[in-house]
Amino acid sequence: MVQKYSFPDGFWWGAATSGPQSEGRFHKAHRNVFDYWYDKDPQAFFNQVGPNTASNFYNDYPQDIALMKEIGLNTVRTSIQWTRLIRDFETGETDPDGVRFYNDVIDTFCRNGIRPIMNLHHFDLPIDLYKKYGGWESRHVVDLFILFARKCFELFGDRVKNWVTFNEPMVIVEGEYLYQFHYPNLVDGKKACQVLYNLNLASAGAIEAFRKTECAAHGGRIGIVLNLTPAYPRSDAPEDVQAAAFAEDFKNKSFLDPAVLGRFPASLEKILREDGVLWQAEPEDLAIIQNNRVDFLGVNYYQPFRAKAPEGMFDESHGWLPEKHFAAYEMPGRRMNPYRGWEIYPRSIYDVAINIRDNYGNIPWYISENGMGVEGEEKYRNAEGFLEDDYRIDFFKEHLGWLHKGIAEGSNCFGFHAWTPIDCWSWSNAYKNRYGFIALDLATQKKTIKKSGYWIRDVIKHNGF
Ligand code: BG6
């Protein structure tokens, strides 16, 4: 068969997961916000399944990594849990079992020929730092995060050459402070803006710390992973175009611009200032953000954002919200993933590629997550018990096709990671929707390769399909 899509040499083919979604809580010194929320209110989680065992990576990592090797992945991203590695947040004293665990995980990846990409924060703020300081609302927490990051670089930077400061910081802003899907489930637009700012500062501060390490001196790189949801207007009418422009500023450029260009979009600052919700900044911050831009960018792409002009007067009862300037538009006929409720629009990957090429200096970047969560996958097992997830293969083929076009037109993309290697715990959706190349039987913790796992192995072998 003739290969239609070939990817650049050295392309990263892999998958991403995170500490809190895969490890389980075994031997952790502290609780993160999700651990705490689950202990307090298990009803808030699908089938009341929490993060206690997750996919048991804490105990199973040698076998799990062997399975990842079996399906050919050359790179895998996971995250170091602040609540596992650090015993004392204020001094940065480490937890011996946490250090042992991450050392072993990193060594096992390396021994299996899989390059580990280590992320420092995947929504897993220590609950103590929320209770004591208000979490990301506080600059002290920004400093504590930088201390934790420094520890990670010192401990693991001899083997980990690719670091990520944050996964989807915008989701922290939206989940914790606007739309109530992460603890503490607040609706507070002003705090949301401050948190957005503090997260940018924390990322830049961690990059500054990284640049002083041996790892950076020997070619190590550091980036950020952003969930980009390209904003498309409902129509060419100026009100819709303006609504989409604000959505793009608030949802995407608020992290993309500081990370890559070293500054916030002036148009965003202007509107937030007029609305009286602009963040508090210290004079020295600007230089930190400007001088500590990322070496590379990870883009999690799942869905676009379709915007229309807001209808009627803005409801002030919850204070300021970004919806003062846009409303979500449900485009008739859009293709949906009904399980997750997300639109499927593969062309956006191409739009992202061209946007990065033209407006972000063609910085090296990769797709750090893309995938399709499906409920009730067990019904797709054939008579031999083999899980035939052809819909997932088709989903990836379409997205990779558009990514390939972007690369062919000069976008500097160096890899593609699926979400996720092994079915993992999905926050309040728990194990409702499955995303993995490898299936997890929750009752037995047995892990088996799906059809998509063998498919990706073939793609990796041929560096294309
Ligand atoms: C991304 C996150 O938003 O999407 C992951 O980085 C998450 O943590 C994944 O699991 C899939 O989303 P969800 O909400 O279905 O788990």
Side-chain angles (χ1 to χ4, degrees):
M1 201 179 71
V2 185
Q3 185 162 311
K4 200 165 161 198
Y5 301 110
S6 294
F7 286 81
D9 287 347
F11 205 64
W12 282 10
W13 290 107
T17 184
S18 76
Q21 294 177 269
S22 61
E23 291 169 10
R25 287 167 64 180
F26 312 97
H27 295 289
K28 262 194 338 156
H30 297 280
R31 293 189 291 180
N32 63 42
V33 281
F34 277 92
D35 300 332
Y36 173 81
W37 186 15
Y38 179 69
D39 288 346
K40 205 166 152 268
D41 184 14
Q43 308 282 356
F45 295 79
F46 184 77
N47 284 347
Q48 301 193 42
V49 175
N52 295 0
T53 306
S55 303
N56 198 30
F57 186 71
Y58 178 85
N59 298 303
D60 268 0
Y61 66 90
Q63 299 89 306
D64 288 2
I65 293 173
L67 281 170
M68 295 179 207
K69 181 185 181 181
E70 198 177 330
I71 61 167
L73 309 185
N74 60 29
T75 39
V76 167
R77 173 169 63 104
T78 187
S79 70
I80 297 173
Q81 292 200 68
W82 199 349
T83 48
R84 182 183 291 292
L85 188 75
I86 301 294
R87 192 169 273 271
D88 183 330
F89 301 123
E90 305 289 336
T91 64
E93 181 202 330
T94 51
D95 180 277
D97 187 63
V99 175
R100 175 209 59 81
F101 173 69
Y102 290 116
N103 266 326
D104 275 6
V105 165
I106 289 164
D107 289 344
T108 308
F109 273 124
C110 295
R111 252 198 327 274
N112 281 280
I114 298 174
R115 221 179 310 173
I117 318 305
M118 283 309 210
N119 168 32
L120 299 174
H121 195 83
H122 204 119
F123 316 153
D124 54 339
L125 176 78
I127 186 66
D128 295 351
L129 299 185
Y130 180 72
K131 295 253 178 215
K132 216 162 159 190
Y133 303 113
W136 293 113
E137 296 158 39
S138 146
R139 287 181 76 100
H140 182 57
V141 171
V142 170
D143 292 338
L144 297 182
F145 174 74
I146 297 168
L147 178 62
F148 157 62
R150 195 178 300 126
K151 286 285 165 193
C152 293
F153 304 144
E154 283 166 11
L155 287 164
F156 312 120
D158 55 335
R159 287 150 292 155
V160 177
K161 298 298 170 196
N162 292 277
W163 291 90
V164 169
T165 56
F166 282 89
N167 176 81
E168 302 190 347
M170 193 60 200
V171 168
I172 300 172
V173 175
E174 295 186 334
E176 292 190 19
Y177 292 93
L178 294 172
Y179 309 128
Q180 299 179 288
F181 57 94
H182 284 194
Y183 188 84
N185 302 304
L186 305 177
V187 182
D188 190 325
K190 192 160 169 66
K191 279 187 180 170
C193 292
Q194 189 63 48
V195 165
L196 183 156
Y197 179 79
N198 288 352
L199 287 166
N200 273 294
L201 194 61
S203 179
I207 294 173
E208 186 176 42
F210 179 74
R211 298 252 157 89
K212 293 181 183 145
T213 64
E214 286 283 305
C215 178
H218 294 111
R221 303 191 302 172
I222 190 157
I224 193 166
V225 163
L226 302 179
N227 53 312
L228 296 186
T229 51
Y232 301 102
R234 169 179 56 181
S235 74
D236 291 341
E239 313 79 63
D240 287 339
V241 171
Q242 207 182 332
F246 182 78
E248 182 70 19
D249 271 1
F250 189 76
K251 289 175 175 289
N252 299 319
K253 291 183 174 179
S254 58
F255 283 100
L256 189 54
D257 284 21
V260 181
L261 306 176
R263 55 178 151 72
F264 288 93
S267 46
L268 176 67
E269 284 190 335
K270 179 173 178 287
I271 293 182
L272 298 184
R273 187 175 295 111
E274 283 166 5
D275 288 355
V277 292
L278 189 65
W279 46 75
Q280 285 274 311
E282 300 300 329
E284 66 272 17
D285 295 354
L286 272 187
I288 297 174
I289 291 172
Q290 208 163 45
N291 297 334
N292 296 290
R293 305 181 212 174
V294 294
D295 297 319
F296 70 91
L297 181 70
V299 175
N300 292 356
Y301 174 68
Y302 290 93
Q303 57 170 342
F305 181 74
R306 301 201 183 268
K308 62 181 180 185
E311 278 149 15
M313 285 291 284
F314 175 64
D315 170 10
E316 298 273 358
S317 57
H318 295 289
W320 182 89
L321 288 174
E323 282 68 16
K324 184 170 180 187
H325 301 286
F326 61 75
Y329 169 55
E330 287 187 11
M331 186 178 76
R334 66 196 177 140
R335 241 171 96 192
M336 293 296 288
N337 169 353
Y339 312 104
R340 190 60 184 81
W342 285 346
E343 181 180 345
I344 298 176
Y345 185 61
R347 194 206 143 99
S348 259
I349 276 204
Y350 169 75
D351 293 343
V352 165
I354 299 306
N355 184 26
I356 294 172
R357 184 194 70 186
D358 293 349
N359 301 313
Y360 293 91
N362 212 9
I363 186 171
W365 70 284
Y366 80 116
I367 288 289
S368 39
E369 284 182 31
N370 175 240
M372 190 178 175
V374 172
E375 186 173 1
E377 279 203 327
E378 285 306 304
K379 64 175 171 286
Y380 296 106
R381 286 198 188 268
N382 67 16
E384 284 77 48
F386 181 53
L387 206 158
E388 298 183 306
D389 54 344
D390 293 88
Y391 42 85
R392 179 164 294 112
I393 297 171
D394 293 342
F395 179 96
F396 284 137
K397 278 184 177 168
E398 276 193 87
H399 284 81
L400 281 166
W402 281 106
L403 180 63
H404 186 271
K405 182 171 159 59
I407 296 172
E409 292 177 23
S411 191
N412 197 5
C413 173
F414 60 81
F416 179 88
H417 276 192
W419 183 265
T420 186
I422 300 172
D423 288 341
C424 66
W425 186 73
S426 275
W427 316 112
S428 48
N429 274 336
Y431 282 91
K432 173 179 172 284
N433 301 318
R434 305 303 183 98
Y435 285 86
F437 287 130
I438 296 162
L440 170 80
D441 180 327
L442 202 52
T444 60
Q445 285 290 332
K446 197 168 165 237
K447 291 152 184 168
T448 49
I449 299 173
K450 303 179 193 175
K451 189 171 178 182
S452 60
Y454 291 107
W455 172 79
I456 196 72
R457 183 168 77 178
D458 213 45
V459 171
I460 298 169
K461 190 166 152 215
H462 297 103
N463 201 24
F465 62 99

